[in-house]
């Protein structure tokens, strides 16, 4: 340090200028400061870029939020419309469901009535089958009786001028089956199985014997037995 001071004094004497000497430690400090400054400057720049990027993202997010708010308001409007439509549809569905329940009840009642009617029909069918089975022997007997009638039998009836009451009543039955006319109803005594009973006046003389005298009586009788007997109804039987 003394040498430095002596040299500086000699320089001042010769050149008439002062010379100042900075300590090396101070220069090292200045270099370190510059290095530290550059590091901090770089860090600050990095932080600034990060902050700016974050701000940019925040601004973009805010813009997106505003757009989403607009979309949300539109969706809320659509939701209100859909809610109204849904409520209206729900009311309609409830109304239709009530109608369906009422209809189901009516159908249930009708079903019960149909089932009851079906049971009654089934019973009537069973009764009719029993009656049919009971009547079949008589039907077969009647068919056999008709088939056993010969032209000779019809000729004998034709020549009988005074047929018995049972024949007269049989001819009345044939008139009814053939749907031929009958005389008005009036009371009369008949002899059946040698017993006299109260009955009605027959139509033998008026319509029965003329029918018997016809040339087609026997063919008509055979045709009725084979083809027309199924046309007999309850009114005919009464």
């Amino acid at each position: 340090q003394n040498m430095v001071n002596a040299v500086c004094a000699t320089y001042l004497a010769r050149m008439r200028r002062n010379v100042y000497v900075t300590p090396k430690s101070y220069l090292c400090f200045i270099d370190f400061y510059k290095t530290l400054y550059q590091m901090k400057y770089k860090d600050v720049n990095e932080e600034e870029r990060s902050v700016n990027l974050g701000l940019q993202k925040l601004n973009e997010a805010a813009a997106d939020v505003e757009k989403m708010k607009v979309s949300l308001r539109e969706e809320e409007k659509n939701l209100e419309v859909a809610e109204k439509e849904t409520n209206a549809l729900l009311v309609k569905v409830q109304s239709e469901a009530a109608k369906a329940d009422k209809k189901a009840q009516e159908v249930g009642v009708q079903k019960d009535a149909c089932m009851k009617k079906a049971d009654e029909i089934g019973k009537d069918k069973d009764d009719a089958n029993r009656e049919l089975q009971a009547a079949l022997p008589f039907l077969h007997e009647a068919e056999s009786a008709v088939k056993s009638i010969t032209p000779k039998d019809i000729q004998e009836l034709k020549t009988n001028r005074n047929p018995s009451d049972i024949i007269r009543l049989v001819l009345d039955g044939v008139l009814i089956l053939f749907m031929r006319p009958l005389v008005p109803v009036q009371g009369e005594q008949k002899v059946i199985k040698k017993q006299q009973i109260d009955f009605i006046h027959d139509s033998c003389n008026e319509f029965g014997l003329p029918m018997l005298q016809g040339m087609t009586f026997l063919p008509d009788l055979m045709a009725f037995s084979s083809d027309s007997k199924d046309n007999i109804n309850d009114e005919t039987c009464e």
Side-chain angles (χ1 to χ4, degrees):
Q1 184 69 29
N2 292 327
M3 182 180 292
V4 171
N5 291 332
V7 173
C8 288
T10 300
Y11 184 81
L12 176 62
R14 291 180 180 179
M15 304 301 294
R16 302 296 181 183
R17 294 179 61 184
N18 289 320
V19 177
Y20 301 97
V21 180
T22 303
K24 186 173 179 60
S25 59
Y26 182 76
L27 295 176
C28 290
F29 174 77
I30 294 299
D31 289 338
F32 177 74
Y33 178 80
K34 289 170 63 178
T35 302
L36 181 62
Y37 177 81
Q38 291 174 352
M39 291 175 60
K40 292 297 182 181
Y41 182 81
K42 183 178 180 181
D43 292 342
V44 169
N45 284 338
E46 291 293 335
E47 291 179 358
E48 182 184 10
R49 283 194 296 270
S50 298
V51 170
N52 290 334
L53 182 61
L55 291 175
Q56 181 181 357
K57 295 296 183 182
L58 288 175
N59 290 331
E60 292 176 356
D64 292 338
V65 168
E66 291 299 325
K67 292 179 181 179
M68 293 176 64
K69 286 182 178 179
V70 175
S71 299
L72 181 60
R73 286 193 290 269
E74 294 295 330
E75 291 298 329
E76 287 178 349
K77 293 179 181 179
N78 295 334
L79 182 60
E80 291 178 358
V81 174
E83 184 178 2
K84 292 180 181 179
E85 293 177 352
T86 301
N87 292 334
L89 181 61
L90 180 60
V91 172
K92 183 177 180 180
V93 168
Q94 291 175 345
S95 176
E96 294 297 330
K99 292 180 181 179
D101 291 339
K102 183 178 179 181
K103 192 64 177 180
Q105 293 177 358
E106 294 176 356
V107 171
V109 173
Q110 293 178 357
K111 179 181 178 182
D112 294 339
C114 290
M115 293 297 292
K116 183 178 180 181
K117 191 66 176 180
D119 292 339
E120 294 176 355
I121 293 174
K123 292 179 181 178
D124 292 341
K125 181 180 178 180
D126 293 338
D127 294 340
N129 285 331
R130 283 193 296 270
E131 293 178 359
L132 176 61
Q133 295 301 321
L136 281 177
F138 299 100
L139 176 62
H140 295 155
E141 183 179 355
E143 289 177 343
S144 299
V146 171
K147 292 178 181 179
S148 67
I149 297 175
T150 64
K152 181 180 178 182
D153 297 328
I154 301 301
Q155 187 62 36
E156 290 180 359
L157 288 175
K158 289 180 178 181
T159 58
N160 189 350
R161 299 300 180 184
N162 188 23
S164 62
D165 287 342
I166 188 65
I167 293 177
R168 290 175 174 273
L169 295 178
V170 168
L171 289 175
D172 270 16
V174 175
L175 288 171
I176 293 173
L177 294 177
F178 283 3
M179 296 183 181
R180 301 288 179 84
L182 299 173
V183 298
V185 177
Q186 58 181 1
E188 187 178 70
Q189 292 287 322
K190 294 291 184 183
V191 177
I192 306 296
K193 293 184 179 180
K194 299 181 180 181
Q195 293 183 1
Q196 193 170 18
I197 61 173
D198 293 329
F199 208 70
I200 60 175
H201 177 67
D202 60 77
S203 303
C204 181
N205 292 334
E206 293 81 356
F207 302 106
L209 292 178
M211 176 185 65
L212 182 63
Q213 297 297 328
M215 297 297 296
T216 62
F217 175 72
L218 183 57
D220 292 343
L221 193 62
M222 294 296 181
F224 181 88
S225 175
S226 61
D227 302 326
S228 302
K229 63 179 181 296
D230 294 333
N231 296 330
I232 299 175
N233 52 33
D234 293 339
E235 183 178 0
T236 304
C237 294
E238 290 178 0

